[in-house]
Structure formats: structure tokens, C-alpha cells
Amino acid sequence: MKSINKQKLAEVLKQWSKGHAVMAPIDEGSAASFKKWEEGKEIQLDKNTTIPAKSVFFPQTEELYEYKVEKDNLEIVECAPIEEELVVFGIRPCDLKSLEMLDDLFLTRGYIDPYYKAKRDNAVIVSYLCGKPCRTCFCESLGIDYQKAEGADIAMYFDGESFGFIAQTEKGENLLQEIASLTEERDVKLPEKQELKLKADTEGLAEKLAAMFEHPYWDSAYEKCIGCGACTYLCPTCHCFDINSHNRACGTGFKTRCWDSCMFPDYTLMAGGHNPRPTRKERFRNRFLHKLQQFPERYGKTACVGCGRCISKCPVNVDIVAIISQLKEVDINDQQGMDRVG
């Protein structure tokens, strides 16, 4: 296999950055996220990023088109999708799995989002296999092997001294060829796998939740949640967005797409003032029904990859694994009232 000593990592990134924009996990003091690597910037690989890799393909804010209104005429100029060649370096298997779900959303069922598609088509993905999962990881419960990189162009791992690279696609082979002068043929040992302490059982849950929309479980389950929306912003599969206008002078302006959250009351507020999810109860219920029932019904996948970010960052310790466990225990026939489970 192709390998490099850890001291050569910056040289590898420098070589790739000559022909690509290298997006890598970088911590600049606030929250680690995928940012454009430049010489001198330190890579963070010892733990997962705070902001998931979805931000590379579905940016937090993205300009869509410009407009000009003059009397009765409206002129729209769409922004060209970014065609830059990307190397997405260091993406973990959980975030990699989340891209399958974003692909379902942005590239199937009769609609193709050109902005998302351009970035997916132009990206070479180098996935970093986990050596030491964090305490809130439960990816294996969602069918993810954290030491496999399904869907990546290159699988990469680290034994403490050297990085090993395994090309999994032609694009991956070509990218490794670009650093041939820096690599050597040597096996790198995959770190010993550790058992994840957190486990979630979602078997049959989507079917059960289909009959639980009005169940009294939701009357108390939401009470701890403060509706800050942090869980949705840090979730690699959440994809709520809003379209905003930015007006300039003389009838001109531009539209942007930006992340939004179904946990915010304004998200479903209609122009006439009606809101189908007026309280935290409805918004909390919607978050879990969407992830565990509605997305599986539509796409055949649970909209959670077990990365554990929402557990570790929630300010009031709302725990999706505990919620799943409680939902599994709920008596579905108790529609009149119940004692809180768990």
C-alpha cells in the first residue's frame, strides 16, 4: 500500500493543493470544520469536526442568483455552480454515509440541485478511518463500520507514525499518483477496533412511529429541549434551509440559500400567521419523526449516522440514543396517558 511518514503530511497536502482546493478538518479556535487548507494550517485528525463535512457540499450560506427589477421587467442571472476541483481530506465514515442521504435529497426524485451536484462531481474524497471513536459515537448501530470507507475514493488510516492510503476508485488512484514521489510501498497497520459503548436499536421503529403522531409520549418528551437548534446545525444529515433576499439599490439584489432549523418557530410560520408547529412539542416531535420515520419511509434510510455530535453538544443533554430507547419501550396502545418512559 502507499504510505507516508506523518512528517510528510503537509507536503502531500501542498502537492494536492496545486491542482485542487483541499478541504480539510481545521480548528481555528472556535469550532473545527472543513476549510480550505493553506500552507501553515494545522490539520485536526485526532477527533471528529464539530461542523460536519456537509458544509463542503451544502454550504451554510450560498448565493444562488442575482435579480434586477425595472418597471414591469424582471431579469434573473443564475450564479454558475462552482466547478473547482476539490479534495475533501479527512472525512470520517459517518460523515461519508451522510452524503448518501444528501445525495438522495439533492439528486433524486425528479430534481437535481446544480450547486450540490457540481461539488459532488468535482470532489475526490479521502476518508479517514477512525482509530479511536469518541464516547458519544454509535455509528455501528446505524450499520456503519467506522473502519471502512464505503463511497470514498481513498481510504486512509494512521498507526501513530505513518499514514496508509488505499485507492478505491480510479479518481483515487489518480490522486495518489500525484504524490507518488512522496510515498513508499509499505503496509500500515489498521488500529485495533474498539467496542462502541453507545448502542441504539432502530429495528421496526419507523413502523411503530407511524402510529405515534398523537401519542402522549410527546407531551413530556420535549420539555427539556430549549429549541436552540444546535443539534440540527451540527447534524450531518439535517438539511433544512431558507432562501433570503438581499436587496441593493435601484431594484437589484441577490438570493442566498442558508441553513435553517426545524427547531425554530419561524421555520414553519406562514405568511398569514398560521404555524403548524407552534410549540416546542410539535417541533421536537417533528425532528425525531423526520429522522426515524419519514426519511426511512421515503428513502429507505434512517436520517442519522450515529456521529454523536448532537449528544455531545446539546446544552441540556437531550440524547437521541435515550430517545430511541424510550420510543422502543413505549406502549403504543397507551393513547390516553402514560408515565414518562426512561
Side-chain angles (χ1 to χ4, degrees):
M1 70 186 308
K2 302 292 184 186
S3 68
I4 61 163
N5 183 277
K6 62 182 180 181
Q7 304 298 335
K8 288 186 176 180
L9 181 58
E11 293 181 64
V12 166
L13 299 175
K14 183 179 179 181
Q15 182 64 30
W16 282 340
S17 67
K18 292 177 180 177
H20 315 264
V22 177
M23 306 299 291
I26 295 172
D27 186 353
E28 293 184 322
S30 53
S33 62
F34 282 78
K35 298 178 180 176
K36 189 173 183 177
W37 181 85
E38 296 172 343
E39 196 167 3
K41 288 190 175 180
E42 293 290 331
I43 300 292
Q44 175 188 289
L45 288 175
D46 60 333
K47 56 185 178 181
N48 208 354
T49 56
T50 305
I51 308 297
K54 72 177 180 182
S55 62
V56 175
F57 305 97
F58 171 42
Q60 189 164 358
T61 303
E62 185 168 34
E63 190 170 331
L64 300 179
Y65 62 86
E66 297 182 351
Y67 55 85
K68 181 178 181 181
V69 180
E70 190 171 8
K71 295 184 178 178
D72 294 333
N73 295 321
L74 171 63
E75 181 182 353
I76 293 177
V77 179
E78 292 190 11
C79 301
I82 297 174
E83 299 289 352
E84 189 174 30
E85 296 288 332
L86 298 171
V87 170
V88 185
F89 178 85
I91 181 171
R92 304 270 178 148
C94 53
D95 277 8
L96 192 59
K97 187 69 175 179
S98 76
L99 296 183
E100 286 185 20
M101 298 165 198
L102 296 182
D103 287 351
D104 287 334
L105 182 79
F106 288 117
L107 302 177
T108 67
R109 307 297 176 103
Y111 173 73
I112 294 177
D113 185 287
Y115 305 97
Y116 178 84
K117 184 177 187 301
K119 289 185 275 288
R120 285 288 277 140
D121 289 347
N122 294 323
V124 186
I125 293 179
V126 182
S127 182
Y128 184 59
L129 309 186
C130 296
K132 186 180 180 182
C134 72
R135 63 176 179 79
T136 56
C137 291
F138 60 103
C139 58
E140 289 184 330
S141 296
L142 283 306
I144 298 168
D145 186 333
Y146 64 81
Q147 291 196 337
K148 290 185 178 178
E150 296 180 8
D153 298 294
I154 296 173
M156 173 183 71
Y157 51 90
F158 182 55
D159 69 357
E161 285 299 322
S162 300
F163 290 94
F165 299 94
I166 302 174
Q168 300 189 149
T169 66
E170 184 177 352
K171 286 202 297 187
E173 291 176 358
N174 292 337
L175 193 68
L176 287 184
Q177 191 59 38
E178 293 182 19
I179 57 169
S181 63
L182 299 171
T183 60
E184 60 180 336
E185 289 291 339
R186 188 173 68 82
D187 286 341
V188 175
K189 187 179 179 182
L190 188 65
E192 186 174 348
K193 207 166 186 183
Q194 301 176 15
E195 183 178 1
L196 302 186
K197 294 180 179 178
L198 275 185
K199 301 183 189 301
D201 178 12
T202 60
E203 182 69 30
L205 191 56
E207 294 79 5
K208 184 175 183 179
L209 286 172
M212 283 186 59
F213 188 81
E214 298 289 356
H215 197 280
Y217 169 79
W218 305 111
D219 293 341
S220 56
Y222 77 94
E223 290 177 338
K224 191 161 67 171
C225 175
I226 58 175
C228 68
C231 52
T232 57
Y233 280 84
L234 304 181
C235 176
T237 71
C238 279
H239 48 262
C240 291
F241 62 83
D242 196 7
I243 305 292
N244 289 323
S245 296
H246 305 267
N247 295 321
R248 297 181 179 130
C250 304
T252 64
F254 61 98
K255 292 274 190 177
T256 58
R257 174 169 64 190
C258 64
W259 292 359
D260 204 339
S261 172
C262 61
M263 301 302 286
F264 296 158
D266 287 354
Y267 184 71
T268 46
L269 181 63
M270 300 180 184
H274 175 64
N275 193 335
R277 299 181 204 140
T279 73
R280 282 185 289 120
K281 172 190 169 182
E282 289 85 13
R283 297 190 285 275
F284 183 91
R285 178 178 61 189
N286 174 75
R287 171 169 163 74
F288 289 97
L289 290 185
H290 180 253
K291 287 191 167 300
L292 304 173
Q293 179 212 337
Q294 296 158 2
F295 201 91
E297 287 177 347
R298 183 168 174 79
Y299 297 110
K301 303 178 181 77
T302 300
C304 174
V305 293
C307 68
R309 289 181 175 97
C310 61
I311 300 173
S312 64
K313 298 299 181 184
C314 178
V316 292
N317 298 318
V318 172
D319 182 338
I320 189 172
V321 173
I323 297 288
I324 290 172
S325 177
Q326 292 166 12
L327 289 169
K328 291 284 287 189
E329 295 177 21
V330 163
D331 179 358
I332 199 169
N333 296 314
D334 179 10
Q335 298 289 342
Q336 302 301 318
M338 61 172 288
D339 293 329
R340 174 71 179 269
V341 177

